[in-house]
Structure formats: structure tokens, C-alpha cells
Amino acid sequence: MSSKLLIPLHVSYIQKLGESKDDLAYHLTSHLRLNAIYWGLTALCVMGHQEALDREEMIEFVMSCWDDEAGGFGAHPEHDAHLLSTLSAIQILIMQDALDRVDVPRVVSFILSLQQPSGVFAGDSFGEFDTRFLYCAVSALSLLGRLDELDKEKTVGYIERCRNFDGGFGNVVGAESHSGQAFVCVAALAILDRLDVVDTDTLCWWLSERQLPNGGLNGRPEKLEDVCYSFWVLSALSILNKVEWIDANKLSSFILSAQDLETGGIADRPGDMVDVFHTIFGVAGLSILGYPGLVDLDPVYCMPAAVIEAKGLRKGWKALERRPADS
Ligand code: GRG
């Protein structure tokens, strides 16, 4: 176990991910490819090593995922467009300063076409809907500067109906509260300037109850801790200005204990196999906790704060005060 974040090892872990194209696992995860590139690039940006992956190659790959029939991005070339991969494509292109490659009017119509009469969004034309896709739509429209085209009242109305007695949010109306949904609902409300919908004290109490004795956070009561909840829980607490409601030192130690000291990367919990999903959300959690030497992450968009600031979209969220690099 290491008490430090092993940045060079994690950078080399992320660089090697694209090199294993002969592995079965690489092909079995093709439906997540654009998301995975977004996770890897964001983790590199937060660790200050954006240049570790080739910019041109990345932009070309993103553009090869364009689904011209639908007007959005699929997760992989020849895949149907989906809101999850469309948001990832937009995030990657913004971080690589290449948003001019996108046909913005077509993407905006694709996104808006997925809003349902209830206000929620479907992920694609096949119709599965929930608040994750609602968040993707709101975040993407905001990043494209086209939020004015959204029916905000209908969108907020759906989120409001997903709010439960414990202050948390479910993925659809009537569903159990989950901390992943706390992120998507609170972040969407933050973008829409409607944080008044949140019962802040009740929700933040519920979120702080997610911390277990070993310092890790779970997604809902009676479940196991998992490094990814470091981001889903902390982002919501950070937007609501209550990061202090959890024990930051214990959480940092838990995240650091899930690093693989040989291969790099972070796992869901100590001793498990690492992956890029847990690597980004571990590093993102550490950034919000003010871990020394990391770049500030915007908790609403899960992108570097400076990028969001430059687009004029950054609100007043603060990471915990950054500690000096030698602490
Ligand atoms: C731009 C950061 C970003 C996200 C895009 C897809 C999305 C929007 C947000 C996902 C939010 C979410 C629902 C996260 C939770 C993911 C997760 C680990 C779910 C596991 O659920 P269960 O029920 O696990 O399998 P538990 O831990 O409850 O047993």
C-alpha cells in the first residue's frame, strides 16, 4: 500500500490501455470506448499530463464515431449514436480544443429529440430513459452554449419528482436513492440554476452516511464501498458546499490503498483489478479533496476547472484547500 498518488505509474497505465487491441477485453468493452477515452483523458488532465496521449489520433478517433444518420456520436465506429457517447465526444473535443469539428446544430437536434413528454431523456432512439441521460443532455447543451433551447421547466419537473424522503434521488420517479443519481440530479440542477429543488441538509446527511469505517464510500445503505463513489458522492457534496461533512483523510487513504503498485491504475477496492473507470473517479475524488499536485476538477462537468472557467460556465464551487506538494 502507498500513501502517495503514483502519478507516473497511472499515466503509463492509461497510455498502455490503447495498446492492447489484441485482447478480448478490449473488444468486449467497445460499447464504452468513447467513455473510456474521456475517462482516461480527464484523469491525465487532472494529473497534469494531458499530452501523454496523441491529440490528433484522439480527435480522429472521436470523429470516426460520428453517426451521420442520427446526428450524434456512437461509442465506437459503426455504433448507433447515444447520449452517453455524445457527451463524451463533446467533452474530449473541448479538452482538446477541437469543438469546431462538431456539427453543433445537428447534435443539438439529436439531443433535444430524445426528451420525453415527462421531461426525462432517453439515451438513444431505442428508448431506455433515466436521469443519467437527462444529465448528459443538460451538460452537453450547456457545453455547446445551447441551453436556451431546452424546456427547462419540464426537465427540472422530472428531477423534482425523482427526489425521495431521504433527500436523495432515484434514476426514475419512485426509484430508490443512489449516490450516482445524487451527482446527475444535483449537477443538472446546478447547470439549470435550480439548486433550490435540493433539500440540502437532508441530502448531505444521507451522502455523509455513505462513508464506512474503512473510509470508503458506498452508493446506498448496506452496500459495499467502491472508489467510484468518491466522485459521485463528493461532487454532490462539493456543489452543495458540504465536503467537510465526510472524513477527507480517511477517504484519501482508502482511494490510495486501491492503487495497483505494479501496473498503475486504481481498482474499486484494495486488491481488486484496476480499470480506467475507477482510476478517473479515484483521481477526481482526490482532486476535490485538495490532494497536493492535482489540477482542480469542476464537480458539475467532471472536467478540469480551468476549461469550464474559460467557457464562462464555472460557478462558485471550491475544492478543499490544496495542500502543498510535499505534505
Ligand atoms: C460526465 C462524469 C460524467 C458522467 C456522465 C453516466 C453518468 C453521466 C453518470 C452515472 C451516474 C451513476 C448512476 C453512477 C453509479 C454507477 C455505479 C457504480 C452503479 C452501480 O450500481 P449497483 O447497484 O451498485 O450495481 P451498488 O454499489 O449500489 O451495489
Side-chain angles (χ1 to χ4, degrees):
M1 161 157 170
S2 171
S3 59
K4 296 252 182 245
L5 183 66
L6 305 167
I7 293 182
L9 205 53
H10 298 318
V11 171
S12 103
Y13 165 74
I14 293 170
Q15 278 176 318
K16 286 187 190 136
L17 286 171
E19 290 169 10
S20 47
K21 294 195 176 67
D22 290 335
D23 290 358
L24 178 60
Y26 182 86
H27 297 283
L28 290 178
T29 54
S30 62
H31 62 293
L32 290 172
R33 187 71 64 239
L34 264 197
N35 302 87
I37 295 174
Y38 155 69
W39 297 329
L41 177 63
T42 308
L44 289 174
C45 289
V46 172
M47 293 188 289
H49 284 277
Q50 171 159 8
E51 77 302 332
L53 292 176
D54 187 84
R55 175 177 182 270
E56 293 309 317
E57 203 184 312
M58 190 181 293
I59 296 171
E60 284 321 308
F61 183 80
V62 171
M63 294 316 297
S64 73
C65 295
W66 174 249
D67 170 358
D68 197 46
E69 209 176 302
F73 291 88
H76 191 273
E78 312 300 332
H79 284 207
D80 292 327
H82 194 288
L83 270 181
L84 284 170
S85 38
T86 297
L87 174 60
S88 292
I90 292 168
Q91 291 172 304
I92 296 166
L93 293 172
I94 289 176
M95 285 188 270
Q96 297 289 25
D97 198 16
L99 194 60
D100 56 343
R101 299 289 301 269
V102 176
D103 183 342
V104 174
R106 286 208 68 202
V107 178
V108 170
S109 346
F110 168 68
I111 296 171
L112 293 175
S113 73
L114 294 170
Q115 189 163 34
Q116 309 298 300
S118 65
V120 72
F121 278 76
D124 59 17
S125 57
F126 297 100
E128 186 197 3
F129 60 82
D130 72 36
T131 48
R132 281 174 310 163
F133 309 138
L134 180 153
Y135 165 81
C136 291
V138 170
S139 174
L141 289 171
S142 172
L143 289 168
L144 294 173
R146 302 294 284 271
L147 206 52
D148 50 330
E149 294 183 41
L150 175 72
D151 184 335
K152 295 195 184 101
E153 213 169 303
K154 200 159 85 167
T155 310
V156 171
Y158 191 84
I159 302 178
E160 203 163 9
R161 293 197 297 287
C162 290
R163 194 185 54 210
N164 291 321
F165 72 95
D166 51 18
F169 295 88
N171 63 334
V172 291
V173 176
E176 176 192 8
S177 296
H178 193 282
S179 42
Q181 259 67 44
F183 160 71
V184 291
C185 292
V186 171
L189 290 168
I191 294 171
L192 296 166
D193 270 326
R194 286 300 311 276
L195 283 174
D196 60 291
V197 166
V198 180
D199 178 347
T200 300
D201 281 1
T202 312
L203 173 59
C204 292
W205 172 81
W206 186 84
L207 289 171
S208 62
E209 287 288 301
R210 307 280 51 80
Q211 191 160 34
L212 299 176
N214 67 2
L217 306 175
N218 65 10
R220 49 194 163 135
E222 308 300 328
K223 290 288 198 155
L224 283 179
E225 68 285 356
D226 181 319
V227 161
C228 74
Y229 296 117
S230 310
F231 176 74
W232 310 121
V233 171
L234 276 179
S235 56
L237 286 174
S238 165
I239 295 166
L240 298 168
N241 211 10
K242 299 275 187 288
V243 174
E244 290 82 0
W245 286 24
I246 56 138
D247 184 327
N249 287 332
K250 283 183 86 174
L251 178 56
S252 292
S253 302
F254 173 74
I255 299 171
L256 294 171
S257 71
Q259 302 180 98
D260 187 313
L261 309 185
E262 281 163 28
T263 62
I266 302 178
D268 56 355
R269 55 189 78 87
D272 284 357
M273 185 103 126
V274 299
D275 59 66
V276 67
F277 175 85
H278 291 93
T279 303
I280 168 58
F281 294 119
V283 168
L286 289 172
S287 170
I288 296 176
L289 291 174
Y291 189 86
L294 292 181
V295 163
D296 268 346
L297 181 88
D298 185 275
V300 169
Y301 295 93
C302 195
M303 289 166 69
V307 172
I308 299 303
E309 180 98 55
K311 293 190 78 62
L313 294 174
R314 176 110 170 131
K315 307 209 175 147
W317 346 110
K318 292 198 298 293
L320 284 191
E321 198 163 321
R322 218 149 278 286
R323 284 170 270 152
D326 56 358
S327 67

